[in-house]
Amino acid sequence: MPALCLCFEVHEPYQLRRYTVFDMGQNSLYEDDDRNCETLLRAARLCYLPANELMLRLIRRHKGAFCLALSISGTALDLFEQYAPEVLDSFKALAATGCVEFLGETSAHSLAFLYSRQEFERQVRAQAARLQSLFGAKPVSFKHTECIYNNDLAAALPRLGFKTVLAEGADHLLGWRSPNCLYRPAGAPRMRLLLRNAGLSADMGRRFGDRSWNDWPLTADKFATWCRGLADTAQVVTLCNDYHLLGLRFSKDTGVFDFMEALPKAILADSNFRWSTPAAASAALQPVGEVDAPQFLSWEEEGRDLTSWLGNDMQKDAIHALYSLTPRVRRCADADLTRDFERLQTADHFACMSTKWFAHPATDRPNPFASPYDAYITYMNVLADFEMRLDAADRARAAKTRAARRAAAADAPPAVPETGKRRRKETRTRIAKPRAASAAPEQA
């Protein structure tokens, strides 16, 4: 009986304001609060609230036969708490059904794994603890930022408590093999690997509103028929998309909500199919083989690589400059600096510098900058001010250390001079030493 896993990425970044050289050293407020508030409230109204209401209704209607997985970034949780707590409450209502699995990821939706394993582990542990606190369950399945994956990532996850990892089912990774099976990552025999069905995911997440597409309009019955065509060979079909497709990428007028409402029933009409979560599918199935991914891949549409975030010199310069500050930030242990450092790691900042990104803009995630060069200049100005704050924190910490040493020296009892000790010891030695007998007089 093939399983169908429906996974959505829930992510909202903190967008930077126009930050110039004249702000450096004068103003350390980096984020555009008005834009962040406006963007989040619009997303809540058009996407998150109606989509969560729909998912809750479907779970109750099908009495647990329908389930899904959500990967929520830490920055999205911060923005929900700050501007739209009702959205967070709606996710908690979904969690209370027991039919939603919350996937682990980095708290900052970052690329930390590529540059600092220690920072990566710290973010993943913090995000897992937060998800457990909010939704009552510790995540056991992991989806990295933008579905980035390689062998090293799979090997690093078991010690963080994960059993399953999601990745892109790219053709160059699989060759003749199917993405619709459970695999074992190379070098991580205890882990299970679920691969995203790129074709069906794009049908739902990219081509749904494309009137030039040969299969437009996409209906739930048509989509279910395509899934049923995989029944003889598939173990599990993994659909993974941005939650923005519901209401933001495709407006309600396109019928995307109607499609989503009809899809669970259309799939369940075939008794050979069932809905599942990544954790449940991995526990119920046996891997059919091993997948070796020595190079990084992602769900980026054109090359399935990292060029959307690291494709030009501006992006590489910015991200290397950022992560070079990691040891200093951790030594500093300042809450404000730590928060800003995490938010500066969000992958969206580097995507804004991409020339590829500007060639193919995402309608649901508009770039706040006029060009990639404006994005780069703004980011580097922010980073320069951030480094000034680090320098000031280092100086304050050094001054505090020197003051503590002076205070400790002032409180210590006076030390006895070393020369005085030596003289008293030599005196005692001379007093205690017995007198030698006088020599006999020399005979004439």
Side-chain angles (χ1 to χ4, degrees), residues 2-57:
L4 198 148
C5 291
L6 181 64
C7 308
F8 288 112
E9 178 181 277
V10 179
H11 170 58
E12 296 294 333
Y14 278 90
Q15 300 178 66
L16 299 177
R17 69 181 180 90
R18 187 173 180 270
Y19 195 89
T20 70
V21 292
F22 302 106
D23 293 309
M24 290 162 51
Q26 305 296 323
N27 187 340
S28 296
L29 298 176
Y30 307 138
E31 293 150 5
D32 190 334
D33 291 337
D34 291 340
R35 180 189 288 270
N36 287 328
C37 179
E38 180 184 349
T39 301
L40 196 280
L41 292 178
R42 179 174 179 271
R45 175 171 51 86
L46 296 179
C47 173
Y48 294 123
L49 290 174
N52 284 354
E53 181 183 354
L54 172 60
M55 297 304 166
L56 187 61
R57 187 165 66 247

Side-chain angles (χ1 to χ4, degrees), residues 115-133:
Y115 294 94
S116 172
R117 300 295 170 86
Q118 186 177 4
E119 176 68 14
F120 168 79
E121 291 190 6
R122 195 198 63 77
Q123 288 187 25
V124 171
R125 292 185 192 278
Q127 180 71 355
R130 189 175 188 185
L131 292 174
Q132 185 170 19
S133 174

Side-chain angles (χ1 to χ4, degrees), residues 23 114 128 157 202:
D23 293 309
L114 284 69
L157 291 175

Side-chain angles (χ1 to χ4, degrees), residues 194-213:
L194 281 176
L195 296 175
R196 175 179 180 260
N197 186 305
L200 290 175
S201 295
D203 291 340
M204 178 191 294
R206 292 289 176 187
R207 291 185 279 270
F208 181 86
D210 183 2
R211 290 175 177 266
S212 64
W213 182 33

Side-chain angles (χ1 to χ4, degrees), residues 259-327:
F259 166 82
M260 191 64 239
E261 185 156 15
L263 186 59
K265 182 179 178 180
I267 294 293
L268 293 172
D270 185 343
S271 59
N272 290 322
F273 267 85
R274 60 186 173 86
W275 292 96
S276 181
T277 61
S282 297
L285 301 171
Q286 289 298 318
V288 299
E290 182 177 273
V291 169
D292 185 18
Q295 305 298 323
F296 281 107
L297 67 150
S298 76
W299 69 7
E300 195 273 343
E301 283 211 352
E302 291 185 10
R304 309 296 180 193
D305 53 21
L306 306 186
T307 52
S308 287
W309 309 277
L310 299 172
N312 62 47
D313 290 340
M314 294 185 296
Q315 294 169 306
K316 293 173 184 176
D317 180 48
I319 200 166
H320 280 93
L322 173 70
Y323 281 105
S324 69
L325 302 176
T326 304

Side-chain angles (χ1 to χ4, degrees), residues 234-373:
Q235 280 184 312
V236 54
V237 179
T238 304
L239 305 175
C240 196
N241 275 304
D242 193 327
Y243 212 26
H244 274 198
L245 75 88
L246 295 170
L248 283 173
R249 183 174 299 165
F250 307 121
S251 68
K252 188 176 182 179
D253 296 340
T254 64
V256 68
F257 282 93
D258 296 332
F259 166 82
M260 191 64 239
E261 185 156 15
L263 186 59
K265 182 179 178 180
I267 294 293
L268 293 172
D270 185 343
S271 59
N272 290 322
F273 267 85
R274 60 186 173 86
W275 292 96
S276 181
T277 61
S282 297
L285 301 171
Q286 289 298 318
V288 299
E290 182 177 273
V291 169
D292 185 18
Q295 305 298 323
F296 281 107
L297 67 150
S298 76
W299 69 7
E300 195 273 343
E301 283 211 352
E302 291 185 10
R304 309 296 180 193
D305 53 21
L306 306 186
T307 52
S308 287
W309 309 277
L310 299 172
N312 62 47
D313 290 340
M314 294 185 296
Q315 294 169 306
K316 293 173 184 176
D317 180 48
I319 200 166
H320 280 93
L322 173 70
Y323 281 105
S324 69
L325 302 176
T326 304
R328 294 180 60 191
V329 174
R330 294 308 163 207
R331 283 197 305 269
C332 180
D334 179 88
D336 291 338
L337 286 171
T338 298
R339 180 202 62 211
D340 290 347
F341 181 65
E342 280 200 9
R343 290 180 182 175
L344 287 172
Q345 294 181 54
T346 302
D348 302 62
H349 298 312
F350 309 105
C352 288
M353 304 174 199
S354 172
T355 50
K356 286 178 60 176
W357 200 95
F358 265 83
H360 306 283
T363 56
D364 56 306
R365 296 188 183 276
N367 195 320
F369 298 101
S371 74
Y373 312 102

